[in-house]
Amino acid sequence: MLQQTQESNTIFTLIMTLIAIAISEMPPILTADILTTSINGEADMRLPNRPIPLTEKEIKHLSYKPYGLVQKLYVIQPNICLCGAGNVYDLKLILEDFRNFCKWKSNEGEQWLNREIVQDFFLNYDQELLNEVVFGIAVAKDEENGFVFTPEKHKSFWLGGGSDDFGAVIAAGSGKTQYLEHISWHKLVGSSHKPGDFMHAKQVNYSFITKFLCKENLTLKSLGNYWGGFLETCYFNGECFQKDANVAFVICDSVTDDEGNMSIPVPKLFIYNQYIDNVLYLTTVKASDFEIIKSKYSISYISKNFIKTLFIVEEIDAKDSASALTQNDNLSYITQKIALGINVKTTSQTYLQMSAYTEGEDIKVEFSDGNYIELIWPVHLHEKQVKTIKENYSMIKKAV
């Protein structure tokens, strides 16, 4: 299954391990993690959802250990997005060939490539090389129509699942079963949008990502199936596929009393995503000692005690070039797109997760590098989260 590559006089194999497609959305929405693993992975690696060094105890049981971060979603043409899992070296070769093929076809006047053209590439490609990877390709016909294509020999590697909120989802890679289990339990909280509405799709996906980041910040269980760190998404905006950016993913802690009443959550980690020249930059801010001010309509959190970390996540076939951002740069930002998740510790020492995504003028995360980080969160969403946690707590208590 694995092809070895040579780097710095060390033989190793890099594996990319989770890709998924929400096939109920048309055109589909694609999701992938960013982790690569190797037998030569090291214990001191940091992850965006856990920006402190991994310990030997946390990874010593893994056959393949965390090695690096890389993108697994690729916008090939305005109406084509590809996701890939498997051996990094082989994925890079195939991706470069597929890019060149699509560029050649578009130069022939086919700006929007169709299903037959995509199929033609994979039918005539080196079939032995395709054995080392798994691909999923979403092709948009227009704003409301599209389809998913996978090479014939890859169909058996995909597993189906979903939920009422997500609809049907397929996933591939070593993390597929665990990912679909997460999906099946996810419930959207506080949405005024109906299924089929694009904002509803964003709320489902980003609230799920935040809940996943919350759980993994505590447990790192996804590493046992060689995936995690962060999740990218790509969707069709009516004109082209694009990866949504400038979202602040906020991980909070809270506790309940004996009746399941949740205290005001306290943020501990902010993850902000942005793309510059197709490179994903994740700015994490680990903060503490918040001043919390609650008004009629919002809850304001301000901290001047924080540590920032910049993660740079390139495409697999990226050319060598200077990074647009570095750790020492001013990484200040303001965003009004927030996905907030909470790890809620109950009196029985178990954890419940709650998450929501929203955007608008009445919310914000503002990071002033070197000065402070501030979160403003609406009271009405906080109250819905409190209500949902109490309902879940009561159901668990009755079951016990």
Side-chain angles (χ1 to χ4, degrees):
M1 168 181 145
L2 308 177
Q3 179 168 337
Q4 294 179 320
T5 66
Q6 183 87 31
E7 181 171 313
S8 302
N9 298 318
T10 303
I11 298 291
F12 64 92
T13 303
L14 295 182
I15 307 299
M16 296 170 27
T17 45
L18 188 279
I19 51 176
I21 306 175
I23 57 177
S24 292
E25 299 293 334
M26 281 298 157
I29 296 176
L30 297 88
T31 302
D33 76 318
I34 59 173
L35 182 67
T36 62
T37 59
S38 167
I39 57 174
N40 298 94
E42 298 180 0
D44 63 350
M45 181 178 168
R46 291 170 169 81
L47 299 173
N49 62 316
R50 191 74 178 269
I52 56 176
L54 296 171
T55 65
E56 182 62 31
K57 181 180 179 180
E58 289 172 323
I59 68 169
K60 67 179 181 180
H61 63 289
L62 301 175
S63 300
Y64 291 88
K65 297 173 175 56
Y67 181 85
L69 305 175
V70 70
Q71 296 179 42
K72 304 174 189 177
L73 299 179
Y74 299 93
V75 178
I76 306 297
Q77 291 284 302
N79 70 318
I80 296 178
C81 184
L82 174 147
C83 55
N87 180 280
V88 168
Y89 180 74
D90 296 321
L91 282 165
K92 182 178 179 181
L93 291 177
I94 299 169
L95 177 62
E96 289 176 342
D97 288 341
F98 187 53
R99 283 192 196 274
N100 290 331
F101 174 82
C102 291
K103 184 177 180 180
W104 167 56
K105 285 295 184 180
S106 64
N107 287 338
E108 290 187 332
E110 297 283 353
Q111 184 62 31
W112 275 45
L113 306 186
N114 58 36
R115 179 173 187 161
E116 288 71 28
I117 291 175
V118 174
Q119 288 176 322
D120 183 58
F121 172 83
F122 288 99
L123 285 173
N124 293 288
Y125 199 75
D126 184 338
Q127 298 300 300
E128 289 189 10
L129 201 56
L130 288 177
N131 287 336
E132 309 298 325
V133 298
V134 179
F135 281 120
I137 303 98
V139 181
K141 293 182 178 180
D142 52 44
E143 188 173 351
E144 298 181 350
N145 297 283
F147 64 89
V148 175
F149 169 78
T150 61
E152 189 64 33
K153 62 172 50 193
H154 293 172
K155 292 185 185 301
S156 63
F157 297 120
W158 289 86
L159 183 65
S163 69
D164 291 341
D165 285 335
F166 268 91
V169 179
I170 58 173
S174 59
K176 62 185 178 183
T177 300
Q178 194 175 35
Y179 174 83
L180 291 172
E181 287 175 355
H182 281 299
I183 290 287
S184 68
W185 286 99
H186 182 62
K187 295 294 183 183
L188 186 60
V189 175
S191 177
S192 59
H193 300 272
K194 297 180 179 180
D197 184 276
F198 180 64
M199 186 60 184
H200 181 273
K202 288 180 70 173
Q203 288 179 326
V204 170
N205 280 274
Y206 291 141
S207 62
F208 167 75
I209 290 173
T210 310
K211 184 180 287 186
F212 166 77
L213 294 173
C214 279
K215 287 183 178 181
E216 291 306 301
N217 181 266
L218 283 178
T219 67
L220 292 178
K221 284 186 176 180
S222 64
L223 294 187
N225 288 295
Y226 312 112
W227 67 290
F230 186 75
L231 295 175
E232 284 190 291
T233 60
C234 190
Y235 64 90
F236 191 72
N237 65 11
E239 296 181 356
C240 64
F241 277 103
Q242 74 171 55
K243 298 179 182 181
D244 204 12
N246 309 115
V247 178
F249 298 86
V250 187
I251 298 175
C252 303
D253 285 334
S254 185
V255 296
T256 67
D257 61 19
D258 290 336
E259 301 300 319
N261 298 303
M262 183 180 74
S263 64
I264 292 180
V266 179
K268 69 174 182 179
L269 180 64
F270 297 77
I271 306 173
Y272 176 72
N273 71 331
Q274 60 180 313
Y275 292 88
I276 303 175
D277 297 329
N278 296 323
V279 178
L280 170 61
Y281 294 90
L282 296 170
T283 302
T284 68
V285 178
K286 191 173 182 291
S288 59
D289 302 327
F290 280 90
E291 177 186 1
I292 303 175
I293 303 171
K294 185 176 181 180
S295 68
K296 182 178 180 180
Y297 298 108
S298 66
I299 305 173
S300 173
Y301 305 83
I302 301 177
S303 170
K304 297 181 179 179
N305 185 9
F306 57 83
I307 299 173
K308 71 172 184 180
T309 306
L310 179 67
F311 293 86
I312 301 173
V313 188
E314 295 184 326
E315 295 185 327
I316 194 174
D317 57 343
K319 309 302 180 186
D320 292 335
S321 61
S323 176
L325 294 175
T326 68
Q327 173 71 25
N328 295 325
D329 287 339
N330 186 325
L331 301 178
S332 299
Y333 65 83
I334 300 176
T335 183
Q336 293 178 310
K337 296 160 55 174
I338 304 173
L340 184 141
I342 313 167
N343 282 317
V344 185
K345 189 176 183 179
T346 70
T347 53
S348 61
Q349 306 304 304
T350 58
Y351 282 89
L352 300 173
Q353 277 78 32
M354 176 56 52
S355 60
Y357 172 81
T358 190
E359 52 188 62
E361 296 181 355
D362 58 339
I363 63 165
K364 76 170 181 177
V365 170
E366 179 176 358
F367 177 47
S368 177
D369 198 350
N371 297 305
Y372 62 87
I373 188 160
E374 179 182 15
L375 164 67
I376 297 178
W377 187 247
V379 167
H380 72 90
L381 273 181
H382 167 70
E383 291 174 345
K384 288 179 180 178
Q385 290 176 311
V386 169
K387 180 182 178 182
T388 303
I389 284 293
K390 187 165 186 174
E391 290 171 350
N392 292 345
Y393 180 89
S394 297
M395 286 191 292
I396 293 173
K397 194 172 181 179
K398 287 179 181 179
V400 171

